[in-house]
Amino acid sequence: MTHEMTDAMADNPCLYVGTYEKYNNGSLDGAWVDLTQFKDKDEFYDFIEKLHKDEHDPEFMFQDFQNFPEFLYSECELDERIFDWLALPDEQREYIAAYWDEIGQDDIDYIEEAFYGCYKDFNEFVYDSVDNCFSHIFKDHPTMETYFDYEAYGRDLTYDYNTADAKSGVFIYRKH
């Protein structure tokens, strides 16, 4: 078995899978397993049983993980929601993982419904919201915009929206 992760796996959701028997006997013998190779939990467990076929009834130990939300990881069990998450396109995975890591562990459908978009920062979201809501008023009354308090409006929006860090800025989610 290999302790090394391949370059192809570097950005993928992976687990390092060993067994408690090997660990208790002083060995970290196991392998990095790319979770994107499996459609469901059963397929994954079939694979790791073959990986540790040298043991009669292996008790799997997930000794490390990478590139997926931490709450889906456990040393002795893999949360099967990970396969629902893995079935999504990369863009959706990113904003769902950010929500899980920074806001809460709601189900995927809830998060998809709440997702509003990705912005450079919260201020860009505030200005975009004002533009979407009031541009027709400002167009008809140009001086009115000079009286608009963007900062106060932004504070009010924080009561209705959650944020999570994104690679390119901030994800915005409506609160339900």
Side-chain angles (χ1 to χ4, degrees), residues 157-171:
L157 287 178
T158 64
Y159 294 108
D160 296 324
Y161 293 89
N162 285 312
T163 63
D165 291 335
K167 290 177 185 171
S168 58
V170 63
F171 291 123

Side-chain angles (χ1 to χ4, degrees), residues 12-139:
N12 290 346
C14 295
L15 274 175
Y16 189 82
V17 182
T19 67
Y20 282 97
E21 181 178 328
K22 288 179 177 85
Y23 181 79
N24 289 335
N25 289 317
S27 172
L28 295 177
D29 200 19
W32 278 102
V33 178
D34 182 346
L35 297 174
T36 63
Q37 304 304 306
F38 310 101
K39 67 177 188 245
D40 60 27
K41 192 173 183 176
D42 292 335
E43 197 174 277
F44 167 72
Y45 276 98
D46 287 345
F47 176 82
I48 63 174
E49 281 178 22
K50 290 175 188 159
L51 183 67
H52 291 286
K53 65 183 179 224
D54 59 330
E55 290 184 33
H56 170 64
D57 187 18
E59 191 177 357
F60 303 112
M61 181 180 193
F62 305 129
Q63 296 164 306
D64 200 359
F65 75 103
Q66 72 165 26
N67 299 325
F68 65 87
E70 185 173 357
F71 87 94
L72 295 172
Y73 167 78
S74 165
E75 180 181 284
C76 59
E77 178 180 32
L78 183 62
D79 189 315
E80 64 185 273
R81 290 179 287 183
I82 194 164
F83 294 103
D84 295 333
W85 178 72
L86 286 169
L88 299 171
D90 289 344
E91 179 183 297
Q92 283 177 282
R93 273 198 250 162
E94 184 182 355
Y95 73 73
I96 289 170
Y99 186 98
W100 280 339
D101 287 343
E102 297 183 41
I103 298 167
Q105 297 172 6
D106 293 306
D107 66 49
I108 290 173
D109 291 337
Y110 176 89
I111 299 167
E112 286 178 326
E113 185 178 311
F115 183 65
Y116 192 82
C118 185
Y119 291 84
K120 179 182 74 175
D121 56 27
F122 193 74
N123 285 336
E124 181 185 47
F125 168 67
V126 170
Y127 278 85
D128 187 58
S129 297
V130 169
D131 188 48
N132 288 334
C133 294
F134 303 108
S135 64
H136 64 286
I137 295 170
F138 295 156
K139 182 178 163 193

